[in-house]
Amino acid sequence: MAALLLDGRALATRLEAQLADLISAGLAKAGRPPGLAVLRVGDDPASGVYVANKEKACGRIGALSFGAHLPANTPQAQLEAELRRLNADPAVDGILVQLPVPEGLDDRALLLALDPDKDADGLHPLNLGRLVRGEAGPRSCTPAGVMALLKTAEIPLSGARAVVVGRSILVGQPMALMLQQADATVTVAHSRTKDLVALTRQAELLVVAAGRPGLIGAEHVSPGTVVVDVGIHRRPEGGLCGDVRFAEVEPLAKAITPVPGGVGPMTVTMLLLNTVRAWARSHALAYPLPLL
Ligand code: NAD
């Protein structure tokens, strides 16, 4: 039987429609739409595409985007001052620093300069701490998007054996914490893990965020596994691929995310969700979307 396709594009479209409705319903009371500010430093070409996608997504739901694009040689102190200005700007509900920043800049200090309640990416240390403690707060967008996909597809997580491949602060770590909070039993694999195949074959849920094209093949996956592929890579011959060899793994899987169209679109939607939630909170508006 073919695997269930965990369609991030379709879910992102549905959630965006709900966010758009929420904004139009709250606009009169709030007196302004939600605002997302993106701070981009330097000219990393991939970042340019990501920032443009985020701005377009804001437009689709009726939120405003405020872009600040500063040259790579901007001093750290000036960037932190810009973030403090955005923290104080009442039209801005969400702020993100587009990573990576150019060499020589301290991205940790930039994240620390954010108002944690406007932290649209959920990467401020306070919000990572809130996640560890299971307290409410903006969540890291990519793993939150994965949780939304799993929840929507009604994948049972309680008591499930989950393996997360990758332990980055951006994806793997928060992913493992979110799955634990959903009562999965989680193992985290990384580049020093011995016998990855033996480990991943035990998984009922396998989330792969290794940043290695095609790392996971049929030999890593037991029949009936739910497979989530976070990796995104540009193929030399054109097009995108993930960390999972989709054609090999799909026939074995119970459910699987495609690349593109799986986790990627959900990441941007979660960014919007964090921003709209902060806007709703600051205007005491009802926020009927579930806390994903
Ligand atoms: P990263 O390089 O910071 O971390 C990769 C992790 O994988 C590390 O912890 C490393 O130990 C582990 N790893 C590397 N090789 C491994 C191996 N052979 N076996 C086991 N573990 C291994 O990367 P990241 O920022 O976490 O991103 C991971 C991937 O996800 C990248 O392809 C990135 O482009 C993609 N990504 C996608 C989205 C999205 O929206 N879909 C968002 C963020 C990142």
Side-chain angles (χ1 to χ4, degrees):
M1 212 172 68
L4 170 71
L5 209 62
L6 299 171
D7 186 341
R9 202 168 278 145
L11 180 56
T13 304
R14 289 212 303 280
L15 286 171
E16 280 188 13
Q18 290 176 19
L19 290 172
D21 288 349
L22 218 140
I23 293 171
S24 53
L27 203 51
K29 186 173 171 198
R32 64 170 183 86
L36 173 68
V38 181
L39 180 63
R40 181 180 171 208
V41 192
D43 290 304
D44 178 65
S47 290
V49 177
Y50 293 142
V51 170
N53 281 343
K54 289 164 189 175
E55 287 173 350
K56 273 190 238 155
C58 282
R60 286 196 298 272
I61 64 165
L64 294 178
S65 59
F66 307 96
H69 186 181
L70 298 173
N73 62 2
T74 309
Q76 177 88 18
Q78 191 182 329
L79 296 172
E80 290 176 22
E82 175 65 12
L83 290 173
R84 283 194 294 275
R85 188 188 67 71
L86 293 168
N87 286 343
D89 185 339
V92 172
D93 303 282
I95 308 169
L96 77 88
V97 178
Q98 184 64 44
L99 299 174
V101 292
E103 228 165 284
L105 291 170
D106 180 354
D107 55 358
R108 290 181 194 208
L110 294 177
L111 292 174
L112 261 181
L114 289 175
D115 174 347
D117 291 327
K118 291 190 175 187
D119 172 24
D121 257 343
L123 294 177
H124 186 286
L126 181 71
N127 290 322
L128 293 170
R130 286 169 166 163
L131 171 61
V132 172
R133 294 179 60 97
E135 293 170 4
R139 293 291 191 246
S140 317
C141 295
T142 301
V146 172
M147 293 306 284
L149 271 173
L150 295 173
K151 191 171 170 183
T152 305
E154 298 180 356
I155 304 293
L157 296 176
S158 180
R161 283 190 307 276
V163 173
V164 177
V165 183
R167 59 175 168 182
S168 73
I169 205 72
L170 192 64
V171 189
Q173 300 277 12
M175 185 76 256
L177 288 165
M178 288 180 202
L179 289 169
Q180 280 188 65
Q181 269 158 27
D183 297 323
T185 301
V186 184
T187 307
V188 177
H190 47 78
S191 52
R192 304 279 175 91
T193 295
K194 289 178 188 155
D195 203 352
L196 185 66
V197 170
L199 188 71
T200 55
R201 286 185 69 85
Q202 291 172 29
E204 294 166 283
L205 167 64
L206 179 61
V207 181
V208 191
R212 298 277 179 273
L215 173 72
I216 299 295
E219 70 278 18
H220 293 85
V221 178
S222 293
T225 307
V226 174
V227 180
V228 175
D229 188 355
V230 180
I232 304 183
H233 312 278
R234 209 159 280 287
R235 291 180 206 265
E237 67 271 26
L240 298 176
C241 70
D243 287 356
V244 174
R245 284 170 253 148
F246 185 91
E248 265 180 45
V249 171
E250 189 271 342
L252 289 168
K254 181 167 114 185
I256 188 166
T257 57
V259 177
V263 176
M266 291 301 297
T267 298
V268 178
T269 301
M270 292 296 125
L271 185 69
L272 300 175
L273 204 128
N274 281 338
T275 305
V276 175
R277 190 186 289 136
W279 170 81
R281 193 183 305 114
S282 64
H283 296 94
L285 298 171
Y287 183 80
L289 289 185
L291 194 76
L292 291 167

